[in-house]
């Protein structure tokens, strides 16, 4: 039996013993593999991808998006810019990828900034025919003119996808329904929690209920996560309730995932500007007890082919 004990908050390693650089990430399952995408700020990289059959061993696959990625415009007017005017890198943050059944494309949505400040607050889009190939970059845009920073994607059971992002200088959280091909926003379906400054959204569906966890807005420093539930993505979301402790056990959400029936929160323990490349990962178990969602602290997570043990 294969197993691996990972310490929460440390920089987890791949099967070659190299650090996994997939921060602010996202995991999808496609055929027999899980694919983990996330930020990689080394060299000219933006987004890297790792894959695993068992969530124990992670194989590095590709630097899917770099400053040298191929580019291609498309029907949405975007600005195609993978380096800024100084010749330095731009910022591509919190990349998320979904497979589109109709177009058979892997579509990446991420947060774009120019690398000098956070004033662009835009969505970056890229696509690929395979989960871990070289993504083609299609540029960045502001959805219906809105600012769009911390973000996530969510694919519902019927294939409808939603993009959720922080708008109005992070004051409000918007939910957009995507077009069928996942290449554009189709409709702004919600402006949530106006003036409550929610960031780092992560969504999952559990037993007919949608659960969203978000953080407050304190840059790289962790803060109290809150959650909300809804009967449908476009329906009413409950008022925010605390989950975890006042620092979310020293983390900020990256995504939520069901593994063997357990609902698991994955987060980043950021190193901040000075130590970003040492940012680590955490996984905490979520439980619903008497209608209330809770997050259980653990120092270690044992991933094994027979399941996950939190201690
Ligand atoms: C956080 C955000 C991160 C990153 C950071 C930069 O609030 O969640 O993704 O943008 O700010 O300070």
């Amino acid at each position: 039996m294969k197993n691996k004990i990972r310490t929460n908050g440390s920089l987890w390693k791949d099967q070659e013993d190299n650090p996994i650089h997939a921060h602010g990430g996202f995991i999808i399952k496609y055929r027999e593999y899980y694919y983990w995408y996330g930020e990689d700020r080394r060299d000219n990289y933006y987004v890297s991808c790792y894959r695993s059959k068992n969530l124990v061993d992670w194989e590095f696959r590709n630097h899917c998006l770099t400053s040298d990625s191929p580019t291609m415009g498309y029907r949405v007017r975007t600005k195609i810019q993978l380096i800024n005017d100084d010749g330095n890198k731009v910022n591509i943050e919190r990349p998320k990828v979904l497979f589109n059944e109709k177009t058979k494309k892997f579509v990446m949505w991420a947060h774009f900034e120019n690398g000098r400040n956070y004033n662009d607050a835009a969505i970056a889009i890229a696509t690929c025919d395979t989960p871990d190939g070289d993504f083609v970059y299609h540029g960045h845009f502001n959805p219906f003119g809105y600012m769009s920073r911390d973000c996530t994607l969510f694919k519902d059971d019927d294939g409808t996808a939603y993009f959720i992002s922080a708008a109005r200088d992070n004051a409000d959280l918007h939910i957009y329904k995507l077009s069928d091909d996942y290449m554009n926003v189709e409709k702004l379906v919600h402006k949530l929690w106006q003036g409550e400054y929610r960031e780092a959204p992560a969504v999952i569906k559990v037993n007919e209920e949608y659960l969203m966890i978000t953080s407050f807005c304190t840059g790289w420093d962790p803060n109290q996560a809150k959650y909300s539930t809804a009967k449908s993505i476009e329906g009413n979301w409950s008022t925010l309730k605390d989950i975890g402790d006042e620092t979310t056990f020293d983390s900020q959400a990256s995504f939520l995932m069901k593994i063997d029936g357990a609902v698991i929160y994955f987060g980043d323990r950021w190193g901040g500007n000075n130590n970003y490349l040492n940012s680590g990962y955490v996984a905490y178990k979520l439980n619903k007890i008497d209608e209330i969602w809770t997050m259980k602290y653990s120092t270690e997570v044992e991933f094994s082919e027979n399941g996950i043990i939190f201690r």
Side-chain angles (χ1 to χ4, degrees):
M1 189 188 82
K2 282 191 158 176
N3 70 343
K4 186 155 272 158
I5 296 172
R6 300 199 184 268
T7 306
N8 271 331
S10 70
L11 185 50
W12 298 353
K13 304 275 182 65
D14 68 10
Q15 62 190 27
E16 310 270 272
D17 222 28
N18 293 317
I20 295 175
H21 284 293
H23 309 277
F26 200 59
I27 292 181
I28 57 168
K29 181 101 193 277
Y30 179 70
R31 301 200 169 141
E32 69 267 41
Y33 286 102
Y34 293 99
Y35 291 87
W36 180 356
Y37 304 88
E39 294 171 23
D40 187 343
R41 299 196 184 198
R42 296 170 300 159
D43 303 331
N44 70 334
Y45 315 146
Y46 289 129
V47 180
S48 291
C49 177
Y50 298 77
R51 78 174 182 187
S52 173
K53 275 188 177 160
N54 52 16
L55 301 166
V56 180
D57 306 304
W58 288 95
E59 177 195 359
F60 167 73
R61 293 294 295 165
N62 195 13
H63 301 299
C64 291
L65 193 72
T66 71
S67 60
D68 294 322
S69 285
T71 61
M72 198 194 337
Y74 75 116
R75 67 180 192 275
V76 176
R77 187 181 295 182
T78 62
K79 186 166 180 195
I80 294 181
Q81 185 191 4
L82 278 166
I83 49 169
N84 71 25
D85 306 335
D86 315 333
N88 295 317
K89 284 171 76 183
V90 299
N91 268 3
I92 302 283
E93 299 190 354
R94 297 185 175 274
K96 315 289 168 191
V97 175
L98 293 180
F99 176 63
N100 187 289
E101 297 285 348
K102 289 188 178 138
T103 61
K104 306 289 175 211
K105 294 262 187 199
F106 291 83
V107 186
M108 180 188 297
W109 287 57
H111 168 196
F112 174 95
E113 299 289 357
N114 59 31
R116 286 191 299 266
N117 55 44
Y118 273 76
N119 296 342
D120 282 285
I123 293 168
I125 297 235
T127 58
C128 192
D129 293 330
T130 58
D132 48 11
D134 296 333
F135 276 64
V136 176
Y137 188 64
H138 300 298
H140 71 262
F141 65 95
N142 294 96
F144 300 120
Y146 288 110
M147 295 173 89
S148 176
R149 291 203 181 114
D150 276 16
C151 60
T152 196
L153 284 173
F154 176 78
K155 189 189 208 173
D156 216 338
D157 298 336
D158 64 358
T160 308
Y162 295 88
F163 181 72
I164 300 164
S165 71
R168 202 165 62 94
D169 264 323
N170 304 329
D172 312 332
L173 192 70
H174 285 186
I175 301 184
Y176 303 91
K177 180 179 180 232
L178 301 194
S179 56
D180 280 0
D181 59 3
Y182 303 169
M183 294 298 286
N184 202 356
V185 291
E186 185 178 286
K187 191 175 155 199
L188 172 59
V189 298
H190 261 305
K191 290 183 176 183
L192 292 174
W193 309 307
Q194 95 78 33
E196 297 193 44
Y197 289 82
R198 305 313 299 171
E199 283 197 324
V203 181
I204 196 168
K205 184 178 182 188
V206 187
N207 300 331
E208 302 310 307
E209 181 180 77
Y210 297 80
L211 168 68
M212 186 182 337
I213 293 187
T214 54
S215 74
F216 188 51
C217 200
T218 51
W220 297 116
D221 297 332
N223 56 57
Q224 173 77 61
K226 291 179 189 277
Y227 77 92
S228 170
T229 56
K231 293 272 175 282
S232 75
I233 294 276
E234 300 190 31
N236 291 329
W237 286 86
S238 64
T239 50
L240 296 162
K241 298 188 189 74
D242 290 354
I243 187 164
D245 72 355
E246 68 279 4
T247 65
T248 318
F249 308 126
D250 208 354
S251 74
Q252 188 182 30
S254 46
F255 60 96
L256 304 175
M257 195 175 165
K258 261 185 280 187
I259 304 173
D260 300 328
V263 183
I264 299 170
Y265 160 98
F266 285 85
D268 299 285
R269 187 170 294 172
W270 296 115
N273 282 337
N274 297 331
N275 205 12
Y276 175 90
L277 290 179
N278 278 321
S279 297
Y281 306 103
V282 307
Y284 299 128
K285 190 159 188 283
L286 302 181
N287 288 299
K288 196 179 182 190
I289 303 166
D290 294 336
E291 296 304 304
I292 292 172
W293 281 97
T294 60
M295 181 185 288
K296 194 165 180 327
Y297 175 73
S298 55
T299 50
E300 281 177 353
V301 193
E302 181 174 337
F303 290 86
S304 86
E305 285 179 326
N306 294 334
I308 301 188
I309 300 166
F310 293 85
R311 350 168 197 266

